[in-house]
Amino acid sequence: MSLLQELQDRSANQCELCASKENLSIYEVPPMSVGGIDGSLLACETCIEQIENPEKIDANHWRCLNDSMWSEFRAVKVVAWRMLSRLRKEGWPQDLLDMLYLEEEDLRFAKETGDHLDESEKIIHRDANGAILQAGDSVVLIKDLKVKGSSMVAKQGTAVRRISLDHENANYIEGKVGPTQIVIITDYVKKMAEKE
């Protein structure tokens, strides 16, 4: 069974956020480290457009989260939390946020995009050239790096895929070099161009 079929079955062929039955497609919840059925949801064009383009948000559209935030599915709860966080200044979303409970791991996943932070609070991670890094990006090491606590050296030119960001320090990112998860200083990486 394809991912689309699984999501259609799970959602009764309607948007898992607003219950619309029109223009449905798979939405992979960033930073797509989970992917598959647990990291995706079925959403309508309107919801996806407003999630991806914050300037197009219509707060009243998201009153639907009053129902969908109670979903048993992780991806739906995470997106509901992120959208309520973005809209919390409207008043009513804060009331829903206060009721919404996420397991610690799901809350960590929800916070990875920084939607819960005001623009002034967001920490911006930049590579050695000043390019903005986001969770899920791939980077290349521009210098040999000794890995603290081991004899391993991460070699210059090593690709580190699907990085995660440290939300308290703009100079730190995390990623896997071989089987080892390491913290890397952003001054020593260059963002890889996305393949078309």
Side-chain angles (χ1 to χ4, degrees):
M1 184 183 291
S2 73
L3 177 58
L4 181 60
Q5 288 171 313
E6 285 185 73
L7 290 171
Q8 286 170 335
D9 289 351
R10 176 174 98 178
S11 68
N13 212 11
Q14 63 185 20
C15 176
E16 293 186 87
L17 298 168
C18 76
S20 169
K21 294 182 183 290
E22 307 291 317
N23 301 318
L24 302 175
S25 60
I26 296 170
Y27 175 71
E28 290 187 332
V29 182
M32 291 159 264
S33 53
V34 184
I37 191 83
D38 289 331
S40 306
L41 54 89
L42 195 65
C44 69
E45 196 174 282
T46 303
C47 285
I48 292 173
E49 184 178 29
Q50 292 188 33
I51 290 168
E52 293 179 343
N53 302 296
E55 66 281 356
K56 294 188 176 180
I57 289 180
D58 169 14
N60 281 328
H61 174 79
W62 294 100
R63 289 186 179 271
C64 59
L65 296 176
N66 195 21
D67 295 324
S68 54
M69 69 184 237
W70 302 108
S71 171
E72 64 187 282
F73 304 109
R74 176 188 196 194
V76 179
K77 288 190 288 192
V78 163
V79 171
W81 187 90
R82 288 176 181 175
M83 294 310 295
L84 289 170
S85 294
R86 273 192 214 173
L87 294 165
R88 68 185 175 279
K89 288 191 173 103
E90 297 283 324
W92 61 266
Q94 186 60 56
D95 295 339
L96 295 181
L97 268 174
D98 292 343
M99 289 187 277
L100 180 56
Y101 173 77
L102 293 180
E103 295 288 339
E104 201 171 304
E105 183 182 332
D106 294 345
L107 184 59
R108 200 168 32 255
F109 178 39
K111 287 181 174 181
E112 280 192 31
T113 56
D115 283 320
H116 63 296
L117 300 172
D118 289 327
E119 285 306 313
S120 62
E121 297 176 299
K122 288 187 181 177
I123 291 177
I124 297 174
H125 295 74
R126 295 182 187 275
D127 73 0
N129 296 333
I132 293 176
L133 299 171
Q134 295 180 321
D137 282 347
S138 296
V139 296
V140 173
L141 301 180
I142 59 171
K143 171 182 175 173
D144 288 358
L145 300 175
K146 288 184 178 177
V147 178
K148 276 188 181 174
S150 81
S151 59
M152 185 177 123
V153 174
K155 294 287 186 191
Q156 177 179 344
T158 300
V160 182
R161 304 196 187 285
R162 295 189 171 197
I163 61 168
S164 58
L165 308 177
D166 182 320
H167 291 292
E168 292 173 9
N169 190 325
N171 296 321
Y172 295 154
I173 59 172
E174 287 187 36
K176 277 194 172 178
V177 173
T180 311
Q181 182 82 5
I182 64 169
V183 173
I184 307 164
I185 296 173
T186 54
D187 295 345
Y188 305 133
V189 299
K190 188 173 85 178
K191 184 175 180 175
M192 289 171 63
E194 290 179 27
K195 292 188 176 109
E196 296 302 317

